[in-house]
């Protein structure tokens, strides 16, 4: 019983900051501290959120956004991870391509969205393309860093056993760089949602970005905040899901003897 109460209080403590924020959100407009027209009480936003759920409108927009995000994200990983492994492993290739990589990664993703529209039109391809571009850099740079920062003692120990270069890469370099790669994947996953929302606000007829833009344009303020909350919840779910996956994939690190 005591253990259950401790778990309950611990859980409440973890979410106490969120509860306090929502309470302030509810009270401030009602007391006139902020204009209720532009920041309605949280209860009104909750009602709008519930209406989006029961009508099914919210799930329609979420599914469309998730499909776009997943497609662009998957394509981005399929390029960024192999390229990062190559750049991190082959120094000659790194010296050749690094100036181009540094130039591209400094270019704003959303600044290129008009270019993608010109190349691919205003349909789905341009939105997937902007996500594909936006998710590249965190994964790419983390993959390069992971490969280059592998413990040299591990490499020397493997070479002393007469391991081939290919086996060294597969059995030593890739597993040792996996934590850094997964960190880049987690950062890129949440970034892909943010980029997509912005792209949908600029040109779409469905999706969370479109829902946000439509609500703002028609002065449906509670609905607009409901869309923003949905985006935040999506980001949290994606982040914690990837954290859980990362722990499962890297479980072998926890099982290593101390001092290894």
């Amino acid at each position: 019983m005591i253990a259950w109460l401790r778990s309950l209080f611990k859980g409440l403590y973890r979410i106490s900051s969120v509860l306090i924020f929502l309470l302030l959100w509810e009270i401030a407009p009602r007391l006139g501290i902020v204009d209720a027209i532009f920041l309605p009480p949280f209860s009104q936003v909750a009602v709008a959120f519930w209406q989006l759920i029961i009508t099914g409108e919210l799930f329609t927009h979420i599914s469309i956004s998730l499909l776009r995000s997943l497609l662009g994200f998957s394509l981005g990983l399929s390029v960024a991870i192999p390229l990062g492994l190559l750049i991190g492993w082959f120094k000659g290739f790194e010296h050749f391509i690094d100036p181009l990589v540094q130039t591209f990664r400094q270019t704003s993703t959303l600044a290129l969205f008009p270019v993608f529209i010109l190349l691919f039109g205003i349909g789905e391809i341009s939105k997937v393309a902007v996500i594909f571009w936006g998710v590249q850099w965190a994964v790419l740079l983390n993959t390069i860093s992971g490969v280059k920062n592998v413990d040299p003692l591990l490499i020397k120990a493997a070479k002393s056993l007469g391991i081939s270069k290919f086996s060294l890469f597969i059995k030593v370099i890739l597993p040792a760089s996996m934590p850094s790669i997964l960190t880049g994947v987690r950062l890129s996953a949440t970034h892909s949602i943010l980029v997509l929302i912005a792209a949908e606000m600029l040109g779409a007829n469905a999706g969370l970005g479109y829902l946000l833009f439509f609500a703002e344009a028609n002065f449906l303020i509670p609905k607009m905040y409901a869309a923003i909350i949905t985006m935040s919840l999506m980001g949290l779910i994606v982040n914690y899901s990837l954290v859980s996956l990362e722990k499962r994939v890297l479980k072998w690190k926890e099982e290593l003897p101390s001092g290894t």
Side-chain angles (χ1 to χ4, degrees):
M1 183 67 177
I2 296 177
W4 181 82
L5 287 174
R6 286 179 178 174
S7 298
L8 177 61
F9 283 123
K10 186 177 180 180
L12 289 174
Y13 180 75
R14 285 179 61 87
I15 64 171
S16 59
S17 60
V18 176
L19 295 177
I20 292 172
F21 172 76
L22 295 180
L23 181 62
L24 292 174
W25 186 351
E26 179 70 25
I27 293 174
R30 294 188 182 278
L31 295 179
I33 299 174
V34 296
D35 194 334
I37 294 177
F38 301 107
L39 184 66
F42 177 73
S43 57
Q44 294 182 18
V45 177
V47 170
F49 184 77
W50 177 247
Q51 289 176 344
L52 286 171
I53 291 176
I54 61 177
T55 59
E57 182 182 357
L58 185 64
F59 298 110
T60 300
H61 291 298
I62 288 176
S63 61
I64 292 172
S65 291
L66 280 178
L67 181 61
R68 290 168 177 162
S69 182
L70 183 61
L71 183 56
F73 180 65
S74 301
L75 291 173
L77 293 187
S78 67
V79 173
I81 293 178
L83 183 60
L85 293 172
L86 288 173
I87 295 174
W89 185 240
F90 296 103
K91 291 186 178 180
F93 184 54
E94 179 188 8
H95 293 157
F96 168 73
I97 203 171
D98 185 66
L100 186 63
V101 169
Q102 296 302 327
T103 301
F104 279 164
R105 83 181 187 90
Q106 300 300 331
T107 306
S108 170
T109 303
L110 294 180
L112 290 175
F113 189 54
V115 178
F116 292 131
I117 291 178
L118 290 175
L119 293 175
F120 305 115
I122 60 173
E124 295 300 311
I125 298 179
S126 60
K127 298 174 185 60
V128 172
V130 76
I131 298 168
F132 167 81
W133 184 269
V135 304
Q136 294 282 323
W137 310 112
V139 179
L140 180 64
L141 296 177
N142 275 59
T143 302
I144 295 171
S145 176
V147 174
K148 295 177 70 173
N149 292 322
V150 174
D151 190 345
L153 294 178
L154 289 176
I155 299 175
K156 289 181 180 179
K159 287 182 176 179
S160 68
L161 297 174
I163 193 172
S164 66
K165 287 187 176 181
F166 180 77
S167 296
L168 174 65
F169 183 80
I170 296 298
K171 296 181 179 180
V172 178
I173 302 299
L174 188 57
S177 59
M178 191 58 67
S180 183
I181 295 174
L182 291 177
T183 299
V185 170
R186 182 155 53 88
L187 292 173
S188 291
T190 52
H191 184 65
S192 69
I193 296 176
L194 297 176
V195 171
L196 173 64
I197 298 305
E200 288 177 338
M201 290 179 68
L202 295 174
N205 56 9
L208 288 174
Y210 167 78
L211 175 63
L212 175 62
F213 178 77
F214 177 84
E216 187 272 336
N218 291 275
F219 214 70
L220 303 173
I221 304 302
K223 192 173 184 178
M224 181 190 76
Y225 282 106
I228 294 173
I229 290 174
T230 303
M231 297 169 196
S232 299
L233 291 175
M234 278 183 59
L236 283 173
I237 292 171
V238 169
N239 181 68
Y240 282 114
S241 297
L242 289 174
V243 168
S244 178
L245 175 63
E246 185 176 348
K247 289 181 178 179
R248 289 177 178 272
V249 172
L250 301 179
K251 191 176 181 181
W252 58 271
K253 290 187 66 179
E254 300 176 0
E255 296 173 351
L256 289 175
S258 59
T260 301

